[in-house]
Amino acid sequence: VAPSIRLSPAARSLFDEPLAIAVRGLGPRQQVTLRTSLRDETGELFQASARYQAGDDGELDLARCPALPGGSFSGLEPMGLLWALQPKKPFWYMMKQDVQSPFLLQLEVLEGHGEPPGRLLAQAQHERAFLRDGVRRIPVRDGRIRATLFLPPGEGTFPGIIDIHGLGGGLFEHRASLLANHGFATLALAYYQYEDLPQKLTEFHLEYFEEAVNYMLQHPQVKGPGVGLLGYSKGGELSLAMAAFMKNIAAVASINGPVAVTLFPVCYKGKTIPTLTLYEQRAKVIDSNIFDYSDILIDPFQAPGNRSLIPIEKAEAQFLFIVGQDDHIVKSKYYATEVCKLLQAQGKENFQILSYPGTGHCIDPPFFPFCPIGSHPFFHKRAILGGELRAYSKAQVHAWPQIQDFFKKYLNDK
């Protein structure tokens, strides 16, 4: 029998779903290398490989068989060939611009454990999709807001979430599309460098984000009376500010977001929250073109009478802080811990923290490749984001269902 790859689901799965991988028809205890490859939309190649030995029956099931040392990972890691994908081009971040088309994953079984491995024994292709059948993708041009709404299948009403990304400009749909597969009406919201939105930022006006909240609450398929906010980095900061000043925000999940206003002032109804003082000269040079920006902001909890802290004690929302303990962009673990102490001191219990060791600034949905170094959107230089591969990948897999459970709990209870 010629070796063959068995996948479950066979031809197509959602990007955030596990994929079962097995190989049949090998020789007893035969040594092989398994390799996965995926090209992103720009054509950049991501690859991972692992060394295995088949059982006495010539079968190799990644759910039961540990990878041997020498590949991208070792040990019992059924999804290792997906979470360990790494770009051939240094510092490249995997983006998904068109969520309507899947990524194509290539799997190969190669003979032996050599470098490079031996001849090709079997191969398979598999689609990793972002939209489940029946999920609707609706471009939104309503008043000033520029966004994409994803609606789950069916005619019912769904808990509504606004997904706000970090500083970087444009419109990111990968997270919102995946959330819609899990039963949420999700609005991926752009706020600059997209279509006719401002090209440059000087300050944030929360009225723009309030339009998005009102759009969701007026939508016939969004369950009220409140919406959820999912914010990453600057998006987390903006989500906390929205909850502090606006009604109808029931739940906020902030992924490595500041708890004080940073880089650009935030304005709402004639009030302005100034930015934390920043000392760029405190950036550490790691090598000729990589910087560590973790110490450039003053501590908002140590500056007496600090006007930059977001007054989240005024919010009626529930808060979930998701933090990477090795975040080198935002002191997110410290910020979340201190702000929750302030809430507790006021008798509030509307918060929880998920804290992940070995995890840096970037926490994506499951199986997005590890990104330890990125481009800083404000300084336009390469910046350390932090984290290490295995811990980061486990954090993404753990945090994703926690985020969904949090929103299900606080957006469905009403």
Side-chain angles (χ1 to χ4, degrees):
V1 182
S4 64
I5 299 171
R6 307 231 349 180
L7 302 174
S8 176
R12 186 184 179 107
S13 56
L14 291 171
F15 195 89
D16 60 346
E17 283 182 340
L19 176 65
I21 301 170
V23 184
R24 297 207 164 149
L26 297 169
R29 307 193 71 73
Q30 182 174 355
Q31 293 195 334
V32 290
T33 298
L34 268 59
R35 184 166 67 197
T36 43
S37 308
L38 182 156
R39 284 194 188 275
D40 72 6
E41 290 156 323
T42 67
E44 291 299 333
L45 179 66
F46 290 75
Q47 278 191 326
S49 66
R51 297 173 173 185
Y52 287 98
Q53 182 171 308
D56 292 332
D57 55 1
E59 299 245 335
L60 172 58
D61 181 348
L62 270 56
R64 294 201 300 269
C65 195
L68 305 171
S72 304
F73 59 91
S74 60
L76 187 64
E77 294 290 353
M79 289 294 288
L81 286 167
L82 293 178
W83 62 244
L85 283 165
Q86 284 289 277
K88 288 289 163 205
K89 184 178 184 172
F91 317 127
W92 192 255
Y93 175 69
M94 184 192 282
M95 284 291 306
K96 189 71 180 107
Q97 293 291 353
D98 176 12
V99 296
Q100 295 176 100
S101 68
F103 277 134
L104 192 62
L105 184 71
Q106 306 271 1
L107 291 98
E108 298 168 300
V109 183
L110 303 150
E111 202 168 45
H113 291 167
E115 274 299 335
R119 69 191 172 96
L120 182 68
L121 301 176
Q123 61 182 335
Q125 285 193 339
H126 184 84
E127 290 185 348
R128 296 286 279 169
F130 284 76
L131 292 177
R132 181 187 295 291
D133 287 347
V135 171
R136 287 157 289 165
R137 178 187 176 276
I138 302 155
V140 177
R141 308 287 173 273
D142 190 86
R144 292 182 300 166
I145 67 171
R146 302 292 174 261
T148 305
L149 178 65
F150 293 92
L151 288 173
E155 290 308 305
T157 61
F158 307 100
I161 297 171
I162 301 174
D163 183 20
I164 307 174
H165 264 268
L167 271 190
L171 179 62
F172 299 97
E173 298 182 1
H174 62 279
R175 201 166 55 193
S177 61
L178 290 171
L179 271 177
N181 299 323
H182 296 280
F184 298 97
T186 316
L187 187 76
L189 182 65
Y191 54 89
Y192 82 111
Q193 274 180 16
Y194 182 73
E195 293 187 356
D196 56 354
L197 292 174
Q199 286 306 298
K200 273 202 162 26
L201 288 170
T202 51
E203 56 192 16
F204 285 100
H205 290 271
L206 290 185
E207 286 84 353
Y208 172 78
F209 298 89
E210 191 166 38
E211 276 188 46
V213 172
N214 293 336
Y215 169 82
M216 288 296 274
L217 289 172
Q218 287 159 12
H219 196 285
Q221 283 196 264
V222 173
K223 188 184 283 190
V227 295
L229 306 176
L230 174 58
Y232 160 64
S233 192
K234 174 58 79 176
E237 176 192 314
L238 290 165
S239 298
L240 295 176
M242 291 164 71
F245 292 108
M246 293 173 201
K247 299 264 176 262
N248 301 320
I249 291 165
V252 175
S254 169
I255 302 172
N256 288 330
V259 296
V261 170
T262 63
L263 306 176
F264 304 100
V266 167
C267 312
Y268 184 63
K269 293 190 174 168
K271 285 200 192 82
T272 298
I273 306 182
T275 60
L276 273 184
T277 308
L278 173 154
Y279 299 102
E280 193 180 348
Q281 65 272 23
R282 287 191 193 166
K284 299 191 225 17
V285 182
I286 302 305
D287 69 23
S288 57
N289 69 342
I290 299 174
F291 292 81
D292 183 340
Y293 289 107
S294 52
D295 286 321
I296 61 167
L297 291 169
I298 66 158
D299 184 336
F301 298 97
Q302 298 300 327
N306 191 308
R307 289 169 46 239
S308 302
L309 263 182
I310 297 164
I312 72 165
E313 68 280 356
K314 293 182 179 171
E316 288 169 10
Q318 293 286 330
F319 294 108
L320 173 64
F321 295 96
I322 297 146
V323 301
Q325 292 180 20
D326 192 39
D327 185 348
H328 282 253
I329 300 292
V330 173
K331 291 193 165 163
S332 44
K333 184 191 177 190
Y334 173 69
Y335 284 177
T337 308
E338 291 302 311
V339 89
C340 290
K341 281 185 198 165
L342 290 181
L343 290 171
Q344 211 162 10
Q346 304 215 0
K348 297 200 164 220
E349 295 175 357
N350 58 336
F351 56 86
Q352 59 198 93
I353 300 175
L354 288 175
S355 184
Y356 294 102
T359 301
H361 186 63
C362 187
I363 303 178
D364 271 318
F367 315 122
F368 267 84
F370 176 45
C371 186
I373 292 169
S375 174
H376 197 291
F378 186 75
F379 299 112
H380 305 292
K381 290 175 182 162
R382 288 232 163 95
I384 291 197
L385 304 179
E388 56 93 10
L389 174 63
R390 187 185 296 247
Y392 160 89
S393 306
K394 300 272 188 255
Q396 295 195 148
V397 169
H398 184 269
W400 190 233
Q402 302 282 329
I403 291 168
Q404 294 165 45
D405 290 347
F406 170 74
F407 283 126
K408 279 177 187 149
K409 180 173 179 182
Y410 293 112
L411 299 180
N412 275 331
D413 266 354
K414 301 288 185 283

